[in-house]
Amino acid sequence: MGKKDNIYKAVTLKDVAAAADVSVITASRALRTPDIVSDKVRERVQQAVDALGYAPNQAARALASATTSTIGVLIPSVTNLVFSDVMRGIYDAVEGTPYQVQLGNTRYTNRKEEELLRVFAAQRPAGLIVSGIDQSQTARALLESFGCPVVQIMDIGPDPIDMMIGFDHREGGRAAVRHLIENGYRRIGFIGARMDPRAQRRLDGYSEVLHAEGLYDERLILTSPQASSVTRGGEMFSDFLGMAPDADAVFCNNDDMALGALFECQRRHIRVPTQFGIMGYNDLDYTAVSNPPISSIRTLRYDMGYRAIEMIIAASKGERPEPAVVDVGYELKARQSTSRKQT
């Protein structure tokens, strides 16, 4: 749902009462002193709260229209270098403005995201930046009720909560696999850890291209719910070779995994790129200086963070950016790790 003309209306207790078909006083009692209302009423009020995303505004009860100068930011990790670059863009963009940033770490869980959104709701932020487009129904209801500009980042989709800036991960996965095929690789695997929705879309792109080319083999896919790292990349690549010894390339869901795969190739004296091709994703700084340099899909992480702040500030002034959905695209960085045809 889009918001126009700087109209950001927060959900109120009156809205909850109407949805639950009770008086405002009864709704208030159900939330503040639930023991004095019936179970049936309490359940109806709680269902309305969950459906509407209502969060009591403890910080501004005396001034219902008050907002702060805080821009809330929700990211899934504070150690992942991808989000470090996003945060650098965000902090650079707020420098010299009246706004300040408050950071929340969702740790890749819907429950934590919902919990943090309720905390932010009580603080009446000037705007919110959230990672991804796969919020739970409760989180989405909360975000739609905030009464402030909201920007979803790192992905794009057809149904923005308010505004959105990102790129198509599925198409990035397609581009990575097409590049490997064009360079002579045929038995192309996929290894991925921490398969969040964005990583899953990369895998979907991988699968679509290989199906179309008649090269798809589900035995060449290895994923894990565990966190990604260089060490895990090496371990998973070793397992991958054990189950697919005839593979000649691998598309990794991020650069950490790709670097781990490269190190394991070197330990096994597998020549990259002539015997084996390695493709990463995100194009972190070290991909260009590894030996050999690793091909990757470059994502504009700093730009997404910086421009998300610009979008919030503009919307707060009644100058909501158009279009509300911005596709910043990606860039395929072809390097030596996939250059079989050039060697």
Side-chain angles (χ1 to χ4, degrees):
M1 97 182 228
K3 297 184 180 74
K4 297 181 180 180
D5 303 323
N6 201 31
I7 298 174
Y8 295 96
K9 185 177 182 298
V11 172
T12 66
L13 185 60
K14 184 178 179 180
D15 298 324
V16 172
D21 195 23
V22 298
S23 69
V24 174
I25 292 175
T26 300
S28 178
R29 287 173 178 167
L31 294 173
R32 294 171 183 269
T33 51
D35 293 340
I36 69 173
V37 301
S38 69
D39 291 345
K40 185 176 181 180
V41 167
R42 187 166 61 248
E43 288 172 7
R44 289 214 315 267
V45 171
Q46 188 58 53
Q47 288 172 358
V49 166
D50 292 339
L52 297 174
Y54 173 72
N57 183 6
Q58 306 292 345
R61 279 184 181 166
L63 188 57
S65 63
T67 58
T68 68
S69 60
T70 298
I71 296 176
V73 179
L74 290 182
I75 59 174
S77 172
V78 294
T79 57
N80 189 323
L81 291 177
V82 169
F83 293 101
S84 298
D85 289 339
V86 172
M87 291 308 302
R88 186 165 54 87
I90 287 172
Y91 280 111
D92 283 355
V94 298
E95 187 73 25
T97 75
Y99 296 98
Q100 57 187 352
V101 172
Q102 184 169 336
L103 179 63
N105 179 8
T106 68
R107 301 182 181 180
Y108 292 95
T109 70
N110 288 335
R111 179 194 59 79
K112 189 65 176 177
E113 184 171 55
E114 293 164 10
E115 177 185 316
L116 289 169
L117 284 173
R118 294 188 187 280
V119 172
F120 279 130
Q123 298 173 357
R124 296 300 294 270
L128 276 169
I129 297 172
V130 294
S131 299
I133 61 174
D134 299 280
Q135 285 75 29
S136 68
Q137 184 176 352
T138 298
R140 188 176 181 94
L142 278 165
L143 287 163
E144 289 174 343
S145 74
F146 259 76
C148 69
V150 175
V151 182
Q152 294 162 283
I153 63 171
M154 304 296 289
D155 208 340
I156 55 172
D159 189 22
I161 292 168
D162 184 8
M163 297 175 287
M164 187 181 289
I165 181 167
F167 62 99
D168 189 334
H169 288 265
R170 184 178 283 101
E171 183 52 41
R174 293 188 192 110
V177 178
R178 284 194 294 263
H179 169 73
L180 288 167
I181 293 172
E182 289 165 0
N183 278 273
Y185 301 100
R186 291 296 178 269
R187 294 287 290 164
I188 302 168
F190 178 94
I191 60 172
R194 182 87 80 183
M195 293 296 292
D196 65 21
R198 290 178 292 280
Q200 184 59 51
R201 282 189 267 279
R202 298 168 200 168
L203 174 56
D204 291 343
Y206 158 94
S207 300
E208 288 170 12
V209 171
L210 291 180
H211 272 299
E213 296 293 331
L215 299 173
Y216 180 80
D217 184 344
E218 65 180 7
R219 295 171 298 179
L220 297 177
I221 298 173
L222 180 63
T223 64
S224 168
Q226 296 178 306
S228 65
S229 67
V230 175
T231 299
R232 181 146 293 117
E235 293 169 349
M236 289 186 67
F237 183 70
S238 178
D239 292 341
F240 169 79
L241 290 179
M243 69 184 203
D246 61 335
D248 63 358
V250 68
F251 170 38
C252 301
N253 81 308
N254 63 36
D255 291 333
D256 286 352
M257 303 293 286
L259 186 61
L262 176 62
F263 287 159
E264 184 64 20
C265 280
Q266 291 170 344
R267 279 191 287 270
R268 292 171 179 246
H269 304 290
I270 298 172
R271 295 188 302 279
V272 177
T274 52
Q275 287 181 277
F276 206 94
I278 298 175
M279 184 84 194
Y281 202 100
N282 282 316
D283 196 36
L284 297 178
D285 289 346
Y286 58 73
T287 58
V289 295
S290 61
N291 186 24
I294 299 173
S295 298
S296 190
I297 299 293
R298 181 171 182 247
T299 59
L300 304 179
R301 303 173 298 279
Y302 176 92
D303 292 351
M304 285 183 278
Y306 196 101
R307 292 176 65 180
I309 291 291
E310 291 183 326
M311 293 167 79
I312 284 178
I313 293 174
S316 298
K317 295 177 179 178
E319 302 167 357
R320 188 171 182 273
E322 293 294 344
V325 176
V326 179
D327 184 350
V328 298
Y330 60 86
E331 182 182 357
L332 193 151
K333 302 296 289 186
R335 301 191 178 99
Q336 190 179 345
S337 72
T338 58
S339 62
R340 172 184 272 181
K341 281 192 172 181
Q342 285 75 46
T343 57

